[in-house]
């Protein structure tokens, strides 16, 4: 981790402490309120729960500290992506989406933007620069792509897309601010699902938009207030707590993933193992150049759907579940979600279990398969 990031991690848990008055609670209070005491007609204080909430403010301050950019919180990662689409696009615009990224970003464009006169193309992440960016209003990247873990050169995409007048948005969910910093690489807008590692306990959904462009932040904030796409106060409070341990959990998860990926690569029963940290992975050189860590997701391909299910369900330390980034390791056969991957494709999300215990459980489940 860079020195700047280490310093940000260290000060993160003291942000609130710096503002305390005598007698204030050290932890963040949860404010559940639809309405606030608001006499007179001046502004600048909380008035109504769709406009603002002190618990959102506290979690947004933490997110902004990590992203080194203003952040606006949303009730989910998809709500953050929708906020960008609906504030930045107008009829006649064309946008470019990753063909192999999180599928709902494409679903939203396909089923709702088309009706409003916005069209889209898709392109595989591994060859994202090929074909240029002429004619696009918005270019959306996800690197590493979820679930195949291909990578594109974020700085090069941002530069080429800007030269064509496009704005560039990156989904940084798989990496978190501790693993990769797309805004520093030149993208205009960052979106992330804090539902995953930032919250980290599979018990709340949340998302955020980050940008260093004040007009974009103002538009996204107005969209939230106007559309009513607002996070719940309790979810914001839970994310606030989760963020306090993100660096600790993320380090453990990435360290363990590096160990496991190397060992999985040796197993003959796996037809393919993808992890950007493996020296011979097609993503490795770019990953080294633009990522701070290689992440905690590993892609595996087993011979069949049955074998993949057997592996997941027969492993005592893998939770069969969708999503990722939680304290427990989990895995999912991705054709279940309609991803364009082989039937035996498994996305393994490494959790916080001690590495050797986790490896023993994974090895035992693979050994059973033959
Ligand atoms: C989960 C996820 C999302 C959507 O987040 P929700 O909180 O489920 O709406 C978006 N992008 C990526 C890469 C994700 O993994």
């Amino acid at each position: 981790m860079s020195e700047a990031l280490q310093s940000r991690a260290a000060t993160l848990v003291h942000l609130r402490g710096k503002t305390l008055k005598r007698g204030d609670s050290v932890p963040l209070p949860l404010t559940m309120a639809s309405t606030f005491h608001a006499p007179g007609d001046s502004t600048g204080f909380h008035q109504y729960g769709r406009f603002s909430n002190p618990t959102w403010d506290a979690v947004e301050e933490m997110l902004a500290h990590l992203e080194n950019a203003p952040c606006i919180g949303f009730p989910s990662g998809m709500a953050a992506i929708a906020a960008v689409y609906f504030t930045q696009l107008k009829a006649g615009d064309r946008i470019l989406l990753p063909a192999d990224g999180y599928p709902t970003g494409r679903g939203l464009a396909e089923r709702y933007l088309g009706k409003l006169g916005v069209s889209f193309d898709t392109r595989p992440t591994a060859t994202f620069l090929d074909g240029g960016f002429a004619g696009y209003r918005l270019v959306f990247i996800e690197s590493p792509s979820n679930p195949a873990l291909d990578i594109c050169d974020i700085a090069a995409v941002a530069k080429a897309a800007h030269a064509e007048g496009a704005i560039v948005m990156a989904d940084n969910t798989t990496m978190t601010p501790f693993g990769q910093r797309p805004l520093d690489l030149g993208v205009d807008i960052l979106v992330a699902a804090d539902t995953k590692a930032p919250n980290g306990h599979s018990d709340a959904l949340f998302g955020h938009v980050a940008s260093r462009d004040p007009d974009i932040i103002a538009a996204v904030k107005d969209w939230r207030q106007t559309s009513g796409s607002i996070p719940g106060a309790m979810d914001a409070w839970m994310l606030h707590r989760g963020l306090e341990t993100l660096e600790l959990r993320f380090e453990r998860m990435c360290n363990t993933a590096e160990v496991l990926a190397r060992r999985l690569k040796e197993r003959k029963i796996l037809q393919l193992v993808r992890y950007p940290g493996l020296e011979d992975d097609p993503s490795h050189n770019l990953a080294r150049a633009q990522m701070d860590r290689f992440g905690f997701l590993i892609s595996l391909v087993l011979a069949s759907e049955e074998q993949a299910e057997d592996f997941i369900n027969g492993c005592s330390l893998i939770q069969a579940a969708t999503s990722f980034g939680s304290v427990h390791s989990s895995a999912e056969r991705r054709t279940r979600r309609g991803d364009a991957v082989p039937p035996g494709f498994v996305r393994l999300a490494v959790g916080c279990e001690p590495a050797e215990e986790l490896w023993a459980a994974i090895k035992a489940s693979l050994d059973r398969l033959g």
Side-chain angles (χ1 to χ4, degrees), residues 6-41:
Q6 285 187 37
S7 142
R8 238 171 269 154
T11 46
L12 182 71
V13 290
H14 293 283
L15 282 179
R16 174 172 163 78
K18 285 193 307 209
T19 66
L20 295 182
K21 296 189 294 297
R22 224 168 164 190
D24 283 350
S25 68
V26 171
L28 177 69
L30 166 58
T31 304
M32 300 192 72
S34 63
T35 190
F36 297 82
H37 180 57
D41 56 6

PDB file of all heavy atoms in Angstrom, residues 6-41:
ATOM      1  N   GLN A   6      -1.780   4.386   3.289  1.00  0.00           N
ATOM      2  CA  GLN A   6      -1.584   3.947   4.676  1.00  0.00           C
ATOM      3  C   GLN A   6      -2.005   5.052   5.635  1.00  0.00           C
ATOM      4  O   GLN A   6      -2.639   4.808   6.658  1.00  0.00           O
ATOM      5  CB  GLN A   6      -0.130   3.579   4.926  1.00  0.00           C
ATOM      6  CG  GLN A   6       0.242   2.255   4.321  1.00  0.00           C
ATOM      7  CD  GLN A   6       1.647   1.828   4.722  1.00  0.00           C
ATOM      8  OE1 GLN A   6       2.069   2.055   5.836  1.00  0.00           O
ATOM      9  NE2 GLN A   6       2.346   1.221   3.799  1.00  0.00           N
ATOM     10  N   SER A   7      -1.638   6.267   5.271  1.00  0.00           N
ATOM     11  CA  SER A   7      -1.980   7.387   6.136  1.00  0.00           C
ATOM     12  C   SER A   7      -3.500   7.585   6.152  1.00  0.00           C
ATOM     13  O   SER A   7      -4.097   7.855   7.197  1.00  0.00           O
ATOM     14  CB  SER A   7      -1.222   8.624   5.645  1.00  0.00           C
ATOM     15  OG  SER A   7      -2.013   9.759   5.750  1.00  0.00           O
ATOM     16  N   ARG A   8      -4.130   7.394   4.987  1.00  0.00           N
ATOM     17  CA  ARG A   8      -5.589   7.516   4.935  1.00  0.00           C
ATOM     18  C   ARG A   8      -6.263   6.411   5.757  1.00  0.00           C
ATOM     19  O   ARG A   8      -7.276   6.635   6.402  1.00  0.00           O
ATOM     20  CB  ARG A   8      -6.058   7.458   3.479  1.00  0.00           C
ATOM     21  CG  ARG A   8      -6.829   8.694   3.097  1.00  0.00           C
ATOM     22  CD  ARG A   8      -7.097   8.746   1.629  1.00  0.00           C
ATOM     23  NE  ARG A   8      -6.043   9.451   0.930  1.00  0.00           N
ATOM     24  CZ  ARG A   8      -5.727   9.245  -0.340  1.00  0.00           C
ATOM     25  NH1 ARG A   8      -6.374   8.363  -1.050  1.00  0.00           N
ATOM     26  NH2 ARG A   8      -4.764   9.941  -0.893  1.00  0.00           N
ATOM     27  N   ALA A   9      -5.688   5.203   5.702  1.00  0.00           N
ATOM     28  CA  ALA A   9      -6.255   4.085   6.476  1.00  0.00           C
ATOM     29  C   ALA A   9      -6.140   4.376   7.967  1.00  0.00           C
ATOM     30  O   ALA A   9      -7.048   4.104   8.745  1.00  0.00           O
ATOM     31  CB  ALA A   9      -5.538   2.790   6.123  1.00  0.00           C
ATOM     32  N   ALA A  10      -5.014   4.960   8.362  1.00  0.00           N
ATOM     33  CA  ALA A  10      -4.782   5.217   9.790  1.00  0.00           C
ATOM     34  C   ALA A  10      -5.715   6.307  10.314  1.00  0.00           C
ATOM     35  O   ALA A  10      -6.226   6.211  11.435  1.00  0.00           O
ATOM     36  CB  ALA A  10      -3.326   5.620  10.012  1.00  0.00           C
ATOM     37  N   THR A  11      -5.958   7.328   9.515  1.00  0.00           N
ATOM     38  CA  THR A  11      -6.776   8.447   9.993  1.00  0.00           C
ATOM     39  C   THR A  11      -8.276   8.185   9.831  1.00  0.00           C
ATOM     40  O   THR A  11      -9.092   8.870  10.440  1.00  0.00           O
ATOM     41  CB  THR A  11      -6.407   9.752   9.255  1.00  0.00           C
ATOM     42  OG1 THR A  11      -6.316   9.469   7.858  1.00  0.00           O
ATOM     43  CG2 THR A  11      -5.076  10.295   9.731  1.00  0.00           C
ATOM     44  N   LEU A  12      -8.612   7.170   9.031  1.00  0.00           N
ATOM     45  CA  LEU A  12     -10.027   6.883   8.755  1.00  0.00           C
ATOM     46  C   LEU A  12     -10.850   6.710  10.036  1.00  0.00           C
ATOM     47  O   LEU A  12     -11.935   7.267  10.168  1.00  0.00           O
ATOM     48  CB  LEU A  12     -10.131   5.600   7.905  1.00  0.00           C
ATOM     49  CG  LEU A  12     -11.535   5.184   7.500  1.00  0.00           C
ATOM     50  CD1 LEU A  12     -12.105   6.139   6.455  1.00  0.00           C
ATOM     51  CD2 LEU A  12     -11.539   3.757   6.946  1.00  0.00           C
ATOM     52  N   VAL A  13     -10.320   5.940  10.968  1.00  0.00           N
ATOM     53  CA  VAL A  13     -11.097   5.628  12.170  1.00  0.00           C
ATOM     54  C   VAL A  13     -11.066   6.769  13.195  1.00  0.00           C
ATOM     55  O   VAL A  13     -11.679   6.660  14.251  1.00  0.00           O
ATOM     56  CB  VAL A  13     -10.617   4.303  12.814  1.00  0.00           C
ATOM     57  CG1 VAL A  13     -11.013   3.127  11.932  1.00  0.00           C
ATOM     58  CG2 VAL A  13      -9.117   4.289  13.062  1.00  0.00           C
ATOM     59  N   HIS A  14     -10.341   7.844  12.868  1.00  0.00           N
ATOM     60  CA  HIS A  14     -10.297   9.000  13.779  1.00  0.00           C
ATOM     61  C   HIS A  14     -11.031  10.213  13.223  1.00  0.00           C
ATOM     62  O   HIS A  14     -10.991  11.287  13.824  1.00  0.00           O
ATOM     63  CB  HIS A  14      -8.843   9.367  14.087  1.00  0.00           C
ATOM     64  CG  HIS A  14      -8.149   8.314  14.887  1.00  0.00           C
ATOM     65  ND1 HIS A  14      -8.341   8.152  16.234  1.00  0.00           N
ATOM     66  CD2 HIS A  14      -7.305   7.329  14.514  1.00  0.00           C
ATOM     67  CE1 HIS A  14      -7.626   7.133  16.678  1.00  0.00           C
ATOM     68  NE2 HIS A  14      -6.995   6.607  15.646  1.00  0.00           N
ATOM     69  N   LEU A  15     -11.687  10.042  12.078  1.00  0.00           N
ATOM     70  CA  LEU A  15     -12.372  11.186  11.459  1.00  0.00           C
ATOM     71  C   LEU A  15     -13.407  11.784  12.407  1.00  0.00           C
ATOM     72  O   LEU A  15     -13.460  12.987  12.613  1.00  0.00           O
ATOM     73  CB  LEU A  15     -13.081  10.753  10.176  1.00  0.00           C
ATOM     74  CG  LEU A  15     -12.227  10.565   8.924  1.00  0.00           C
ATOM     75  CD1 LEU A  15     -13.109  10.110   7.772  1.00  0.00           C
ATOM     76  CD2 LEU A  15     -11.508  11.854   8.576  1.00  0.00           C
ATOM     77  N   ARG A  16     -14.248  10.921  12.961  1.00  0.00           N
ATOM     78  CA  ARG A  16     -15.299  11.407  13.856  1.00  0.00           C
ATOM     79  C   ARG A  16     -14.696  11.985  15.136  1.00  0.00           C
ATOM     80  O   ARG A  16     -15.139  13.025  15.623  1.00  0.00           O
ATOM     81  CB  ARG A  16     -16.274  10.265  14.195  1.00  0.00           C
ATOM     82  CG  ARG A  16     -17.310  10.660  15.227  1.00  0.00           C
ATOM     83  CD  ARG A  16     -18.388   9.618  15.427  1.00  0.00           C
ATOM     84  NE  ARG A  16     -19.096   9.877  16.674  1.00  0.00           N
ATOM     85  CZ  ARG A  16     -20.025  10.806  16.815  1.00  0.00           C
ATOM     86  NH1 ARG A  16     -20.365  11.557  15.795  1.00  0.00           N
ATOM     87  NH2 ARG A  16     -20.623  10.998  17.976  1.00  0.00           N
ATOM     88  N   GLY A  17     -13.657  11.312  15.644  1.00  0.00           N
ATOM     89  CA  GLY A  17     -13.046  11.738  16.901  1.00  0.00           C
ATOM     90  C   GLY A  17     -12.615  13.195  16.904  1.00  0.00           C
ATOM     91  O   GLY A  17     -12.699  13.878  17.923  1.00  0.00           O
ATOM     92  N   LYS A  18     -12.185  13.660  15.725  1.00  0.00           N
ATOM     93  CA  LYS A  18     -11.684  15.031  15.644  1.00  0.00           C
ATOM     94  C   LYS A  18     -12.766  16.079  15.857  1.00  0.00           C
ATOM     95  O   LYS A  18     -12.475  17.236  16.113  1.00  0.00           O
ATOM     96  CB  LYS A  18     -11.039  15.254  14.268  1.00  0.00           C
ATOM     97  CG  LYS A  18      -9.674  14.587  14.151  1.00  0.00           C
ATOM     98  CD  LYS A  18      -8.933  15.074  12.919  1.00  0.00           C
ATOM     99  CE  LYS A  18      -9.786  14.912  11.684  1.00  0.00           C
ATOM    100  NZ  LYS A  18      -9.083  14.706  10.445  1.00  0.00           N
ATOM    101  N   THR A  19     -14.029  15.674  15.704  1.00  0.00           N
ATOM    102  CA  THR A  19     -15.107  16.664  15.769  1.00  0.00           C
ATOM    103  C   THR A  19     -15.891  16.596  17.075  1.00  0.00           C
ATOM    104  O   THR A  19     -16.853  17.339  17.260  1.00  0.00           O
ATOM    105  CB  THR A  19     -16.116  16.408  14.626  1.00  0.00           C
ATOM    106  OG1 THR A  19     -16.759  15.144  14.884  1.00  0.00           O
ATOM    107  CG2 THR A  19     -15.439  16.355  13.274  1.00  0.00           C
ATOM    108  N   LEU A  20     -15.499  15.679  17.966  1.00  0.00           N
ATOM    109  CA  LEU A  20     -16.334  15.453  19.148  1.00  0.00           C
ATOM    110  C   LEU A  20     -16.292  16.602  20.143  1.00  0.00           C
ATOM    111  O   LEU A  20     -15.240  17.204  20.369  1.00  0.00           O
ATOM    112  CB  LEU A  20     -15.893  14.160  19.851  1.00  0.00           C
ATOM    113  CG  LEU A  20     -16.103  12.875  19.057  1.00  0.00           C
ATOM    114  CD1 LEU A  20     -15.676  11.669  19.880  1.00  0.00           C
ATOM    115  CD2 LEU A  20     -17.549  12.744  18.631  1.00  0.00           C
ATOM    116  N   LYS A  21     -17.450  16.859  20.731  1.00  0.00           N
ATOM    117  CA  LYS A  21     -17.526  17.799  21.849  1.00  0.00           C
ATOM    118  C   LYS A  21     -17.640  16.972  23.120  1.00  0.00           C
ATOM    119  O   LYS A  21     -18.062  15.811  23.085  1.00  0.00           O
ATOM    120  CB  LYS A  21     -18.744  18.711  21.684  1.00  0.00           C
ATOM    121  CG  LYS A  21     -18.634  19.604  20.450  1.00  0.00           C
ATOM    122  CD  LYS A  21     -19.725  20.649  20.389  1.00  0.00           C
ATOM    123  CE  LYS A  21     -21.120  20.071  20.205  1.00  0.00           C
ATOM    124  NZ  LYS A  21     -21.307  19.334  18.931  1.00  0.00           N
ATOM    125  N   ARG A  22     -17.268  17.536  24.211  1.00  0.00           N
ATOM    126  CA  ARG A  22     -17.329  16.844  25.499  1.00  0.00           C
ATOM    127  C   ARG A  22     -18.685  16.182  25.706  1.00  0.00           C
ATOM    128  O   ARG A  22     -19.716  16.830  25.523  1.00  0.00           O
ATOM    129  CB  ARG A  22     -17.122  17.878  26.605  1.00  0.00           C
ATOM    130  CG  ARG A  22     -16.200  17.406  27.663  1.00  0.00           C
ATOM    131  CD  ARG A  22     -15.844  18.582  28.509  1.00  0.00           C
ATOM    132  NE  ARG A  22     -15.273  18.097  29.749  1.00  0.00           N
ATOM    133  CZ  ARG A  22     -15.027  18.863  30.773  1.00  0.00           C
ATOM    134  NH1 ARG A  22     -15.329  20.132  30.716  1.00  0.00           N
ATOM    135  NH2 ARG A  22     -14.493  18.354  31.847  1.00  0.00           N
ATOM    136  N   GLY A  23     -18.662  14.899  26.031  1.00  0.00           N
ATOM    137  CA  GLY A  23     -19.924  14.203  26.301  1.00  0.00           C
ATOM    138  C   GLY A  23     -20.544  13.537  25.087  1.00  0.00           C
ATOM    139  O   GLY A  23     -21.511  12.797  25.214  1.00  0.00           O
ATOM    140  N   ASP A  24     -20.019  13.800  23.876  1.00  0.00           N
ATOM    141  CA  ASP A  24     -20.540  13.126  22.674  1.00  0.00           C
ATOM    142  C   ASP A  24     -20.160  11.646  22.715  1.00  0.00           C
ATOM    143  O   ASP A  24     -19.120  11.282  23.271  1.00  0.00           O
ATOM    144  CB  ASP A  24     -19.914  13.727  21.395  1.00  0.00           C
ATOM    145  CG  ASP A  24     -20.517  15.062  21.018  1.00  0.00           C
ATOM    146  OD1 ASP A  24     -21.549  15.433  21.619  1.00  0.00           O
ATOM    147  OD2 ASP A  24     -19.955  15.737  20.127  1.00  0.00           O
ATOM    148  N   SER A  25     -20.965  10.812  22.088  1.00  0.00           N
ATOM    149  CA  SER A  25     -20.608   9.393  22.016  1.00  0.00           C
ATOM    150  C   SER A  25     -19.436   9.236  21.051  1.00  0.00           C
ATOM    151  O   SER A  25     -19.394   9.897  20.009  1.00  0.00           O
ATOM    152  CB  SER A  25     -21.793   8.558  21.550  1.00  0.00           C
ATOM    153  OG  SER A  25     -22.097   8.848  20.209  1.00  0.00           O
ATOM    154  N   VAL A  26     -18.497   8.399  21.434  1.00  0.00           N
ATOM    155  CA  VAL A  26     -17.345   8.157  20.550  1.00  0.00           C
ATOM    156  C   VAL A  26     -17.799   7.474  19.260  1.00  0.00           C
ATOM    157  O   VAL A  26     -17.446   7.904  18.178  1.00  0.00           O
ATOM    158  CB  VAL A  26     -16.237   7.379  21.289  1.00  0.00           C
ATOM    159  CG1 VAL A  26     -15.144   6.947  20.324  1.00  0.00           C
ATOM    160  CG2 VAL A  26     -15.654   8.252  22.395  1.00  0.00           C
ATOM    161  N   PRO A  27     -18.613   6.388  19.342  1.00  0.00           N
ATOM    162  CA  PRO A  27     -19.119   5.836  18.082  1.00  0.00           C
ATOM    163  C   PRO A  27     -20.199   6.715  17.472  1.00  0.00           C
ATOM    164  O   PRO A  27     -20.802   7.543  18.157  1.00  0.00           O
ATOM    165  CB  PRO A  27     -19.693   4.476  18.499  1.00  0.00           C
ATOM    166  CG  PRO A  27     -20.024   4.612  19.932  1.00  0.00           C
ATOM    167  CD  PRO A  27     -19.042   5.598  20.512  1.00  0.00           C
ATOM    168  N   LEU A  28     -20.447   6.511  16.186  1.00  0.00           N
ATOM    169  CA  LEU A  28     -21.439   7.306  15.461  1.00  0.00           C
ATOM    170  C   LEU A  28     -22.855   6.970  15.913  1.00  0.00           C
ATOM    171  O   LEU A  28     -23.248   5.804  15.885  1.00  0.00           O
ATOM    172  CB  LEU A  28     -21.308   6.973  13.958  1.00  0.00           C
ATOM    173  CG  LEU A  28     -22.298   7.638  13.017  1.00  0.00           C
ATOM    174  CD1 LEU A  28     -22.033   9.132  12.913  1.00  0.00           C
ATOM    175  CD2 LEU A  28     -22.230   6.989  11.635  1.00  0.00           C
ATOM    176  N   PRO A  29     -23.643   7.978  16.320  1.00  0.00           N
ATOM    177  CA  PRO A  29     -25.042   7.677  16.631  1.00  0.00           C
ATOM    178  C   PRO A  29     -25.824   7.417  15.340  1.00  0.00           C
ATOM    179  O   PRO A  29     -25.488   7.972  14.299  1.00  0.00           O
ATOM    180  CB  PRO A  29     -25.556   8.947  17.316  1.00  0.00           C
ATOM    181  CG  PRO A  29     -24.531   9.995  17.119  1.00  0.00           C
ATOM    182  CD  PRO A  29     -23.318   9.399  16.489  1.00  0.00           C
ATOM    183  N   LEU A  30     -26.820   6.568  15.431  1.00  0.00           N
ATOM    184  CA  LEU A  30     -27.688   6.298  14.279  1.00  0.00           C
ATOM    185  C   LEU A  30     -28.861   7.258  14.345  1.00  0.00           C
ATOM    186  O   LEU A  30     -29.613   7.266  15.330  1.00  0.00           O
ATOM    187  CB  LEU A  30     -28.168   4.841  14.351  1.00  0.00           C
ATOM    188  CG  LEU A  30     -29.330   4.425  13.443  1.00  0.00           C
ATOM    189  CD1 LEU A  30     -29.008   4.683  11.980  1.00  0.00           C
ATOM    190  CD2 LEU A  30     -29.648   2.957  13.668  1.00  0.00           C
ATOM    191  N   THR A  31     -29.003   8.098  13.320  1.00  0.00           N
ATOM    192  CA  THR A  31     -30.121   9.049  13.304  1.00  0.00           C
ATOM    193  C   THR A  31     -31.195   8.554  12.349  1.00  0.00           C
ATOM    194  O   THR A  31     -31.004   8.548  11.134  1.00  0.00           O
ATOM    195  CB  THR A  31     -29.647  10.452  12.859  1.00  0.00           C
ATOM    196  OG1 THR A  31     -28.588  10.861  13.721  1.00  0.00           O
ATOM    197  CG2 THR A  31     -30.783  11.464  12.929  1.00  0.00           C
ATOM    198  N   MET A  32     -32.306   8.113  12.910  1.00  0.00           N
ATOM    199  CA  MET A  32     -33.418   7.673  12.069  1.00  0.00           C
ATOM    200  C   MET A  32     -34.475   8.742  12.155  1.00  0.00           C
ATOM    201  O   MET A  32     -35.165   8.870  13.162  1.00  0.00           O
ATOM    202  CB  MET A  32     -33.918   6.307  12.550  1.00  0.00           C
ATOM    203  CG  MET A  32     -32.817   5.262  12.479  1.00  0.00           C
ATOM    204  SD  MET A  32     -33.356   3.568  12.678  1.00  0.00           S
ATOM    205  CE  MET A  32     -34.192   3.269  11.149  1.00  0.00           C
ATOM    206  N   ALA A  33     -34.581   9.566  11.116  1.00  0.00           N
ATOM    207  CA  ALA A  33     -35.528  10.677  11.152  1.00  0.00           C
ATOM    208  C   ALA A  33     -35.995  11.008   9.745  1.00  0.00           C
ATOM    209  O   ALA A  33     -35.172  11.110   8.831  1.00  0.00           O
ATOM    210  CB  ALA A  33     -34.857  11.909  11.762  1.00  0.00           C
ATOM    211  N   SER A  34     -37.297  11.159   9.584  1.00  0.00           N
ATOM    212  CA  SER A  34     -37.783  11.663   8.296  1.00  0.00           C
ATOM    213  C   SER A  34     -37.869  13.184   8.335  1.00  0.00           C
ATOM    214  O   SER A  34     -37.845  13.844   7.307  1.00  0.00           O
ATOM    215  CB  SER A  34     -39.149  11.070   7.959  1.00  0.00           C
ATOM    216  OG  SER A  34     -40.097  11.477   8.923  1.00  0.00           O
ATOM    217  N   THR A  35     -37.958  13.737   9.550  1.00  0.00           N
ATOM    218  CA  THR A  35     -38.091  15.187   9.628  1.00  0.00           C
ATOM    219  C   THR A  35     -37.284  15.730  10.806  1.00  0.00           C
ATOM    220  O   THR A  35     -37.048  15.025  11.786  1.00  0.00           O
ATOM    221  CB  THR A  35     -39.595  15.575   9.690  1.00  0.00           C
ATOM    222  OG1 THR A  35     -39.718  16.980   9.539  1.00  0.00           O
ATOM    223  CG2 THR A  35     -40.262  15.128  10.977  1.00  0.00           C
ATOM    224  N   PHE A  36     -36.836  16.980  10.674  1.00  0.00           N
ATOM    225  CA  PHE A  36     -35.943  17.598  11.668  1.00  0.00           C
ATOM    226  C   PHE A  36     -36.541  18.930  12.123  1.00  0.00           C
ATOM    227  O   PHE A  36     -37.280  19.578  11.362  1.00  0.00           O
ATOM    228  CB  PHE A  36     -34.559  17.841  11.035  1.00  0.00           C
ATOM    229  CG  PHE A  36     -33.856  16.572  10.605  1.00  0.00           C
ATOM    230  CD1 PHE A  36     -34.155  15.968   9.376  1.00  0.00           C
ATOM    231  CD2 PHE A  36     -32.911  15.964  11.419  1.00  0.00           C
ATOM    232  CE1 PHE A  36     -33.519  14.799   8.971  1.00  0.00           C
ATOM    233  CE2 PHE A  36     -32.261  14.784  11.022  1.00  0.00           C
ATOM    234  CZ  PHE A  36     -32.568  14.208   9.798  1.00  0.00           C
ATOM    235  N   HIS A  37     -36.192  19.346  13.298  1.00  0.00           N
ATOM    236  CA  HIS A  37     -36.652  20.642  13.820  1.00  0.00           C
ATOM    237  C   HIS A  37     -36.107  21.745  12.903  1.00  0.00           C
ATOM    238  O   HIS A  37     -34.890  21.898  12.779  1.00  0.00           O
ATOM    239  CB  HIS A  37     -36.116  20.814  15.248  1.00  0.00           C
ATOM    240  CG  HIS A  37     -36.523  22.097  15.893  1.00  0.00           C
ATOM    241  ND1 HIS A  37     -37.845  22.460  16.049  1.00  0.00           N
ATOM    242  CD2 HIS A  37     -35.783  23.102  16.424  1.00  0.00           C
ATOM    243  CE1 HIS A  37     -37.896  23.644  16.652  1.00  0.00           C
ATOM    244  NE2 HIS A  37     -36.657  24.048  16.888  1.00  0.00           N
ATOM    245  N   ALA A  38     -37.017  22.471  12.249  1.00  0.00           N
ATOM    246  CA  ALA A  38     -36.573  23.418  11.225  1.00  0.00           C
ATOM    247  C   ALA A  38     -37.424  24.681  11.210  1.00  0.00           C
ATOM    248  O   ALA A  38     -38.152  24.954  10.252  1.00  0.00           O
ATOM    249  CB  ALA A  38     -36.605  22.743   9.850  1.00  0.00           C
ATOM    250  N   PRO A  39     -37.344  25.490  12.265  1.00  0.00           N
ATOM    251  CA  PRO A  39     -38.135  26.734  12.270  1.00  0.00           C
ATOM    252  C   PRO A  39     -37.541  27.774  11.313  1.00  0.00           C
ATOM    253  O   PRO A  39     -36.344  27.729  11.021  1.00  0.00           O
ATOM    254  CB  PRO A  39     -38.023  27.209  13.719  1.00  0.00           C
ATOM    255  CG  PRO A  39     -36.743  26.608  14.219  1.00  0.00           C
ATOM    256  CD  PRO A  39     -36.521  25.338  13.457  1.00  0.00           C
ATOM    257  N   GLY A  40     -38.372  28.659  10.819  1.00  0.00           N
ATOM    258  CA  GLY A  40     -37.885  29.737   9.958  1.00  0.00           C
ATOM    259  C   GLY A  40     -37.632  29.238   8.555  1.00  0.00           C
ATOM    260  O   GLY A  40     -37.953  28.106   8.207  1.00  0.00           O
ATOM    261  N   ASP A  41     -37.036  30.076   7.728  1.00  0.00           N
ATOM    262  CA  ASP A  41     -36.889  29.697   6.334  1.00  0.00           C
ATOM    263  C   ASP A  41     -35.439  29.649   5.869  1.00  0.00           C
ATOM    264  O   ASP A  41     -35.162  29.628   4.698  1.00  0.00           O
ATOM    265  CB  ASP A  41     -37.705  30.631   5.433  1.00  0.00           C
ATOM    266  CG  ASP A  41     -37.336  32.098   5.645  1.00  0.00           C
ATOM    267  OD1 ASP A  41     -36.361  32.349   6.401  1.00  0.00           O
ATOM    268  OD2 ASP A  41     -38.012  32.961   5.075  1.00  0.00           O
TER     269      ASP A  41
END
